[in-house]
Short mmCIF file of all heavy atoms in Angstrom, two decimals:
data_model
loop_
_atom_site.label_atom_id
_atom_site.label_comp_id
_atom_site.label_asym_id
_atom_site.label_seq_id
_atom_site.Cartn_x
_atom_site.Cartn_y
_atom_site.Cartn_z
N GLU A 169 -164.58 116.92 -19.17
CA GLU A 169 -165.15 115.62 -19.46
C GLU A 169 -164.67 115.11 -20.84
O GLU A 169 -164.41 113.89 -20.97
CB GLU A 169 -166.69 115.65 -19.42
CG GLU A 169 -167.26 115.93 -18.04
CD GLU A 169 -166.75 114.93 -17.01
OE1 GLU A 169 -166.84 113.68 -17.31
OE2 GLU A 169 -166.26 115.34 -15.95
N LYS A 172 -161.25 113.70 -20.40
CA LYS A 172 -161.36 112.39 -19.76
C LYS A 172 -161.75 111.31 -20.77
O LYS A 172 -161.22 110.17 -20.76
CB LYS A 172 -162.39 112.44 -18.63
CG LYS A 172 -161.89 113.29 -17.42
CD LYS A 172 -163.01 113.25 -16.32
CE LYS A 172 -162.62 114.16 -15.17
NZ LYS A 172 -163.69 114.15 -14.14
N ASN A 173 -162.66 111.65 -21.65
CA ASN A 173 -163.11 110.67 -22.66
C ASN A 173 -161.95 110.42 -23.64
O ASN A 173 -161.79 109.26 -24.11
CB ASN A 173 -164.30 111.24 -23.44
CG ASN A 173 -165.59 111.08 -22.65
OD1 ASN A 173 -165.89 110.04 -22.13
ND2 ASN A 173 -166.34 112.18 -22.51
N GLU A 174 -161.19 111.45 -23.98
CA GLU A 174 -160.06 111.24 -24.88
C GLU A 174 -159.02 110.28 -24.22
O GLU A 174 -158.55 109.37 -24.89
CB GLU A 174 -159.36 112.57 -25.18
CG GLU A 174 -158.18 112.46 -26.10
CD GLU A 174 -157.59 113.77 -26.48
OE1 GLU A 174 -158.07 114.82 -26.00
OE2 GLU A 174 -156.61 113.75 -27.25
N ARG A 175 -158.76 110.48 -22.95
CA ARG A 175 -157.87 109.56 -22.26
C ARG A 175 -158.46 108.15 -22.24
O ARG A 175 -157.75 107.20 -22.49
CB ARG A 175 -157.59 110.04 -20.86
CG ARG A 175 -156.63 109.11 -20.09
CD ARG A 175 -156.38 109.44 -18.69
NE ARG A 175 -155.70 108.35 -18.08
CZ ARG A 175 -154.38 108.16 -18.06
NH1 ARG A 175 -153.58 109.02 -18.63
NH2 ARG A 175 -153.84 107.07 -17.48
N GLY A 176 -159.72 108.04 -21.93
CA GLY A 176 -160.35 106.73 -21.92
C GLY A 176 -160.23 106.01 -23.25
O GLY A 176 -159.91 104.82 -23.30
N GLN A 177 -160.44 106.77 -24.35
CA GLN A 177 -160.43 106.15 -25.67
C GLN A 177 -159.02 105.83 -26.14
O GLN A 177 -158.79 104.78 -26.70
CB GLN A 177 -161.11 107.11 -26.69
CG GLN A 177 -161.22 106.54 -28.09
CD GLN A 177 -162.09 107.44 -28.97
OE1 GLN A 177 -163.05 108.08 -28.51
NE2 GLN A 177 -161.72 107.55 -30.20
N ASP A 180 -156.71 104.42 -21.64
CA ASP A 180 -157.22 103.44 -20.72
C ASP A 180 -157.88 102.24 -21.40
O ASP A 180 -157.87 101.10 -20.89
CB ASP A 180 -158.20 104.07 -19.71
CG ASP A 180 -157.54 105.15 -18.86
OD1 ASP A 180 -156.28 105.04 -18.61
OD2 ASP A 180 -158.20 106.10 -18.50
N ASN A 181 -158.56 102.52 -22.53
CA ASN A 181 -159.32 101.47 -23.18
C ASN A 181 -158.48 100.81 -24.31
O ASN A 181 -159.05 99.96 -25.07
CB ASN A 181 -160.61 102.01 -23.76
CG ASN A 181 -161.80 101.10 -23.41
OD1 ASN A 181 -161.81 100.49 -22.35
ND2 ASN A 181 -162.81 101.07 -24.26
N PRO A 651 -161.91 97.50 -28.06
CA PRO A 651 -163.38 97.54 -28.13
C PRO A 651 -163.89 98.04 -29.45
O PRO A 651 -164.99 97.63 -29.91
CB PRO A 651 -163.74 98.47 -26.99
CG PRO A 651 -162.53 99.26 -26.65
CD PRO A 651 -161.35 98.32 -27.01
N LEU A 748 -175.06 92.90 -27.13
CA LEU A 748 -174.07 93.28 -26.16
C LEU A 748 -172.89 92.35 -26.18
O LEU A 748 -173.02 91.16 -25.96
CB LEU A 748 -174.74 93.32 -24.80
CG LEU A 748 -173.91 93.73 -23.60
CD1 LEU A 748 -173.35 95.18 -23.80
CD2 LEU A 748 -174.74 93.74 -22.31
N VAL A 749 -171.70 92.93 -26.48
CA VAL A 749 -170.43 92.18 -26.47
C VAL A 749 -169.69 92.54 -25.18
O VAL A 749 -169.45 93.72 -24.92
CB VAL A 749 -169.59 92.51 -27.72
CG1 VAL A 749 -168.29 91.71 -27.67
CG2 VAL A 749 -170.37 92.21 -29.00
N ASN A 750 -169.30 91.53 -24.44
CA ASN A 750 -168.71 91.81 -23.13
C ASN A 750 -167.21 92.14 -23.26
O ASN A 750 -166.45 91.53 -24.01
CB ASN A 750 -168.84 90.59 -22.21
CG ASN A 750 -168.27 90.84 -20.85
OD1 ASN A 750 -168.58 91.84 -20.22
ND2 ASN A 750 -167.39 89.96 -20.38
N LYS A 751 -166.80 93.19 -22.52
CA LYS A 751 -165.39 93.51 -22.29
C LYS A 751 -165.30 93.91 -20.80
O LYS A 751 -165.72 94.99 -20.46
CB LYS A 751 -164.92 94.62 -23.21
CG LYS A 751 -163.42 94.86 -23.16
CD LYS A 751 -162.95 95.90 -24.15
CE LYS A 751 -161.45 96.00 -24.23
NZ LYS A 751 -160.82 96.43 -22.99
N ASP A 752 -164.72 93.03 -20.04
CA ASP A 752 -164.69 93.25 -18.62
C ASP A 752 -164.05 94.55 -18.22
O ASP A 752 -163.00 94.93 -18.70
CB ASP A 752 -163.94 92.08 -17.90
CG ASP A 752 -164.69 90.79 -17.97
OD1 ASP A 752 -165.94 90.79 -18.03
OD2 ASP A 752 -164.05 89.73 -17.95
N GLU A 753 -164.75 95.28 -17.30
CA GLU A 753 -164.18 96.50 -16.68
C GLU A 753 -163.75 97.53 -17.72
O GLU A 753 -162.76 98.23 -17.52
CB GLU A 753 -163.03 96.16 -15.75
CG GLU A 753 -163.46 95.22 -14.60
CD GLU A 753 -162.29 94.92 -13.72
OE1 GLU A 753 -161.17 95.29 -13.98
OE2 GLU A 753 -162.51 94.19 -12.66
N ALA A 754 -164.47 97.60 -18.86
CA ALA A 754 -164.09 98.58 -19.90
C ALA A 754 -164.28 100.00 -19.39
O ALA A 754 -165.28 100.34 -18.81
CB ALA A 754 -164.95 98.30 -21.12
N ALA A 755 -163.24 100.83 -19.61
CA ALA A 755 -163.35 102.25 -19.22
C ALA A 755 -164.36 102.99 -20.07
O ALA A 755 -164.91 104.00 -19.62
CB ALA A 755 -161.98 102.89 -19.34
N GLN A 756 -164.56 102.51 -21.32
CA GLN A 756 -165.52 103.15 -22.21
C GLN A 756 -166.36 102.02 -22.86
O GLN A 756 -165.91 100.87 -22.94
CB GLN A 756 -164.86 103.91 -23.31
CG GLN A 756 -164.25 105.27 -22.87
CD GLN A 756 -163.87 106.09 -24.06
OE1 GLN A 756 -163.22 105.60 -25.01
NE2 GLN A 756 -164.17 107.37 -24.03
N SER A 757 -167.50 102.44 -23.38
CA SER A 757 -168.35 101.54 -24.16
C SER A 757 -168.29 101.97 -25.62
O SER A 757 -168.44 103.18 -25.86
CB SER A 757 -169.79 101.51 -23.65
OG SER A 757 -169.85 101.09 -22.29
N ALA A 758 -168.10 101.03 -26.50
CA ALA A 758 -168.07 101.34 -27.94
C ALA A 758 -169.53 101.06 -28.48
O ALA A 758 -170.03 99.92 -28.39
CB ALA A 758 -167.07 100.47 -28.69
N ILE A 759 -170.15 102.10 -29.02
CA ILE A 759 -171.51 101.99 -29.53
C ILE A 759 -171.45 102.07 -31.07
O ILE A 759 -170.85 102.99 -31.61
CB ILE A 759 -172.41 103.14 -29.00
CG1 ILE A 759 -172.49 103.07 -27.51
CG2 ILE A 759 -173.81 103.05 -29.61
CD1 ILE A 759 -173.26 104.22 -26.86
N GLY A 801 -170.54 116.10 -22.94
CA GLY A 801 -169.25 115.61 -22.46
C GLY A 801 -169.15 114.10 -22.28
O GLY A 801 -168.43 113.59 -21.45
N TYR A 802 -169.96 113.37 -23.10
CA TYR A 802 -170.01 111.90 -22.99
C TYR A 802 -168.86 111.21 -23.75
O TYR A 802 -168.56 110.04 -23.46
CB TYR A 802 -171.34 111.37 -23.53
CG TYR A 802 -172.57 111.63 -22.70
CD1 TYR A 802 -173.85 111.49 -23.23
CD2 TYR A 802 -172.44 112.08 -21.37
CE1 TYR A 802 -174.96 111.75 -22.46
CE2 TYR A 802 -173.61 112.36 -20.60
CZ TYR A 802 -174.84 112.20 -21.14
OH TYR A 802 -175.97 112.41 -20.39
N THR A 803 -168.30 111.88 -24.74
CA THR A 803 -167.40 111.20 -25.67
C THR A 803 -166.33 112.16 -26.20
O THR A 803 -166.45 113.37 -26.07
CB THR A 803 -168.21 110.66 -26.88
OG1 THR A 803 -167.35 109.97 -27.79
CG2 THR A 803 -168.89 111.83 -27.67
N TYR A 804 -165.32 111.58 -26.76
CA TYR A 804 -164.29 112.39 -27.45
C TYR A 804 -164.72 112.73 -28.87
O TYR A 804 -164.23 113.69 -29.43
CB TYR A 804 -162.99 111.62 -27.47
CG TYR A 804 -161.83 112.33 -28.12
CD1 TYR A 804 -161.45 113.61 -27.72
CD2 TYR A 804 -161.10 111.72 -29.14
CE1 TYR A 804 -160.40 114.26 -28.33
CE2 TYR A 804 -160.03 112.38 -29.72
CZ TYR A 804 -159.71 113.64 -29.32
OH TYR A 804 -158.64 114.27 -29.94
N ALA A 823 -169.92 105.92 -31.62
CA ALA A 823 -169.44 106.74 -30.50
C ALA A 823 -168.83 105.86 -29.46
O ALA A 823 -169.37 104.78 -29.15
CB ALA A 823 -170.58 107.53 -29.90
N ASP A 824 -167.64 106.24 -28.96
CA ASP A 824 -167.07 105.59 -27.78
C ASP A 824 -167.31 106.48 -26.61
O ASP A 824 -166.79 107.61 -26.59
CB ASP A 824 -165.59 105.34 -28.02
CG ASP A 824 -165.30 104.24 -29.04
OD1 ASP A 824 -166.27 103.73 -29.60
OD2 ASP A 824 -164.12 103.95 -29.31
N VAL A 825 -168.05 106.02 -25.62
CA VAL A 825 -168.52 106.87 -24.54
C VAL A 825 -168.02 106.37 -23.21
O VAL A 825 -167.70 105.20 -23.06
CB VAL A 825 -170.05 107.03 -24.57
CG1 VAL A 825 -170.52 107.50 -25.90
CG2 VAL A 825 -170.70 105.66 -24.25
N ARG A 826 -168.03 107.28 -22.20
CA ARG A 826 -167.72 106.87 -20.85
C ARG A 826 -168.69 105.72 -20.44
O ARG A 826 -169.89 105.77 -20.64
CB ARG A 826 -167.91 108.02 -19.85
CG ARG A 826 -166.80 109.01 -19.86
CD ARG A 826 -166.85 109.94 -18.64
NE ARG A 826 -168.07 109.95 -17.87
CZ ARG A 826 -168.96 110.97 -17.92
NH1 ARG A 826 -168.77 112.00 -18.70
NH2 ARG A 826 -170.07 110.96 -17.16
N ALA A 827 -168.10 104.74 -19.78
CA ALA A 827 -168.89 103.56 -19.43
C ALA A 827 -170.13 103.91 -18.59
O ALA A 827 -171.19 103.33 -18.77
CB ALA A 827 -168.03 102.55 -18.70
N ASP A 828 -169.95 104.88 -17.68
CA ASP A 828 -171.06 105.21 -16.77
C ASP A 828 -172.24 106.00 -17.44
O ASP A 828 -173.27 106.17 -16.83
CB ASP A 828 -170.55 105.97 -15.57
CG ASP A 828 -169.95 107.35 -15.95
OD1 ASP A 828 -169.27 107.39 -16.98
OD2 ASP A 828 -170.23 108.35 -15.26
N VAL A 829 -172.02 106.44 -18.67
CA VAL A 829 -173.13 107.12 -19.36
C VAL A 829 -173.55 106.42 -20.63
O VAL A 829 -174.11 107.05 -21.54
CB VAL A 829 -172.72 108.59 -19.69
CG1 VAL A 829 -172.48 109.38 -18.40
CG2 VAL A 829 -171.50 108.63 -20.58
N THR A 830 -173.27 105.09 -20.71
CA THR A 830 -173.60 104.36 -21.95
C THR A 830 -175.03 104.48 -22.30
O THR A 830 -175.39 104.77 -23.47
CB THR A 830 -173.18 102.91 -21.73
OG1 THR A 830 -171.82 102.80 -21.41
CG2 THR A 830 -173.47 102.13 -23.03
N VAL A 831 -175.94 104.21 -21.35
CA VAL A 831 -177.38 104.24 -21.68
C VAL A 831 -177.84 105.64 -21.99
O VAL A 831 -178.60 105.87 -22.95
CB VAL A 831 -178.18 103.69 -20.51
CG1 VAL A 831 -179.69 103.79 -20.77
CG2 VAL A 831 -177.81 102.21 -20.25
N GLU A 832 -177.35 106.66 -21.25
CA GLU A 832 -177.73 108.03 -21.54
C GLU A 832 -177.29 108.42 -22.95
O GLU A 832 -177.99 109.12 -23.69
CB GLU A 832 -177.12 108.98 -20.51
CG GLU A 832 -177.73 108.83 -19.12
CD GLU A 832 -177.14 107.67 -18.28
OE1 GLU A 832 -176.30 106.92 -18.88
OE2 GLU A 832 -177.49 107.51 -17.12
N ALA A 833 -176.05 108.03 -23.35
CA ALA A 833 -175.59 108.40 -24.65
C ALA A 833 -176.34 107.73 -25.75
O ALA A 833 -176.65 108.28 -26.81
CB ALA A 833 -174.06 107.98 -24.75
N LEU A 834 -176.73 106.45 -25.48
CA LEU A 834 -177.50 105.72 -26.44
C LEU A 834 -178.88 106.39 -26.68
O LEU A 834 -179.35 106.53 -27.82
CB LEU A 834 -177.70 104.26 -26.02
CG LEU A 834 -178.30 103.32 -27.01
CD1 LEU A 834 -177.46 103.22 -28.30
CD2 LEU A 834 -178.47 101.89 -26.42
N ILE A 924 -173.14 97.17 -28.70
CA ILE A 924 -172.45 97.84 -27.59
C ILE A 924 -171.37 96.88 -27.10
O ILE A 924 -171.68 95.72 -26.81
CB ILE A 924 -173.36 98.27 -26.49
CG1 ILE A 924 -174.43 99.23 -27.04
CG2 ILE A 924 -172.58 98.86 -25.36
CD1 ILE A 924 -175.41 99.68 -26.00
N VAL A 925 -170.16 97.38 -27.04
CA VAL A 925 -169.05 96.60 -26.41
C VAL A 925 -168.72 97.29 -25.09
O VAL A 925 -168.32 98.47 -25.09
CB VAL A 925 -167.79 96.56 -27.33
CG1 VAL A 925 -166.71 95.79 -26.64
CG2 VAL A 925 -168.16 95.90 -28.63
N GLY A 926 -168.89 96.54 -23.99
CA GLY A 926 -168.61 97.14 -22.72
C GLY A 926 -168.75 96.08 -21.63
O GLY A 926 -168.86 94.87 -21.93
N ASP A 927 -168.74 96.50 -20.40
CA ASP A 927 -168.85 95.57 -19.30
C ASP A 927 -170.30 95.11 -19.18
O ASP A 927 -171.20 95.82 -18.71
CB ASP A 927 -168.43 96.27 -17.99
CG ASP A 927 -168.32 95.31 -16.79
OD1 ASP A 927 -169.22 94.50 -16.60
OD2 ASP A 927 -167.29 95.31 -16.16
N ALA A 928 -170.58 93.89 -19.64
CA ALA A 928 -171.95 93.37 -19.82
C ALA A 928 -172.67 93.26 -18.48
O ALA A 928 -173.88 93.57 -18.35
CB ALA A 928 -171.90 92.03 -20.52
N GLU A 929 -171.94 92.86 -17.44
CA GLU A 929 -172.61 92.66 -16.15
C GLU A 929 -173.19 93.99 -15.63
O GLU A 929 -174.28 94.00 -15.05
CB GLU A 929 -171.56 92.12 -15.15
CG GLU A 929 -172.17 91.82 -13.80
CD GLU A 929 -171.18 91.21 -12.82
OE1 GLU A 929 -170.00 90.94 -13.28
OE2 GLU A 929 -171.52 90.98 -11.63
N THR A 930 -172.47 95.05 -15.88
CA THR A 930 -172.95 96.36 -15.42
C THR A 930 -173.98 96.94 -16.37
O THR A 930 -175.02 97.54 -15.92
CB THR A 930 -171.78 97.35 -15.33
OG1 THR A 930 -170.79 96.84 -14.45
CG2 THR A 930 -172.24 98.72 -14.81
N LEU A 931 -173.81 96.77 -17.67
CA LEU A 931 -174.63 97.43 -18.67
C LEU A 931 -175.97 96.79 -18.91
O LEU A 931 -176.96 97.43 -19.16
CB LEU A 931 -173.85 97.58 -19.97
CG LEU A 931 -172.65 98.49 -20.02
CD1 LEU A 931 -171.99 98.38 -21.36
CD2 LEU A 931 -173.07 99.92 -19.74
N LYS A 932 -176.01 95.44 -18.87
CA LYS A 932 -177.19 94.75 -19.33
C LYS A 932 -178.46 95.18 -18.55
O LYS A 932 -179.49 95.45 -19.18
CB LYS A 932 -176.97 93.25 -19.24
CG LYS A 932 -178.07 92.46 -19.96
CD LYS A 932 -177.70 91.00 -20.11
CE LYS A 932 -178.76 90.25 -20.91
NZ LYS A 932 -178.41 88.80 -21.10
N PRO A 933 -178.43 95.20 -17.25
CA PRO A 933 -179.66 95.62 -16.54
C PRO A 933 -180.13 97.03 -16.92
O PRO A 933 -181.31 97.27 -17.03
CB PRO A 933 -179.27 95.57 -15.04
CG PRO A 933 -178.08 94.66 -14.99
CD PRO A 933 -177.37 94.84 -16.25
N LYS A 934 -179.21 97.94 -17.12
CA LYS A 934 -179.58 99.26 -17.48
C LYS A 934 -180.13 99.33 -18.93
O LYS A 934 -181.09 100.06 -19.21
CB LYS A 934 -178.40 100.23 -17.42
CG LYS A 934 -177.81 100.31 -15.98
CD LYS A 934 -176.63 101.25 -15.95
CE LYS A 934 -176.04 101.34 -14.52
NZ LYS A 934 -174.83 102.18 -14.47
N LEU A 935 -179.55 98.56 -19.84
CA LEU A 935 -180.03 98.58 -21.23
C LEU A 935 -181.39 97.94 -21.34
O LEU A 935 -182.20 98.35 -22.19
CB LEU A 935 -179.01 97.76 -22.11
CG LEU A 935 -177.66 98.44 -22.35
CD1 LEU A 935 -176.71 97.47 -23.00
CD2 LEU A 935 -177.84 99.68 -23.19
#
Side-chain angles (χ1 to χ4, degrees):
E169 292 305 309
K172 291 179 183 178
N173 283 310
E174 181 178 359
R175 179 183 169 87
Q177 183 172 325
D180 298 330
N181 228 31
L748 181 58
V749 180
N750 183 50
K751 189 176 188 297
D752 291 332
E753 300 179 356
Q756 285 191 316
S757 298
I759 300 175
Y802 289 166
T803 182
Y804 180 53
D824 289 2
V825 303
R826 282 195 345 255
D828 64 318
V829 296
T830 303
V831 176
E832 291 81 355
L834 189 60
I924 299 178
V925 178
D927 190 311
E929 184 177 356
T930 303
L931 292 176
K932 192 169 184 178
K934 298 178 181 178
L935 290 169

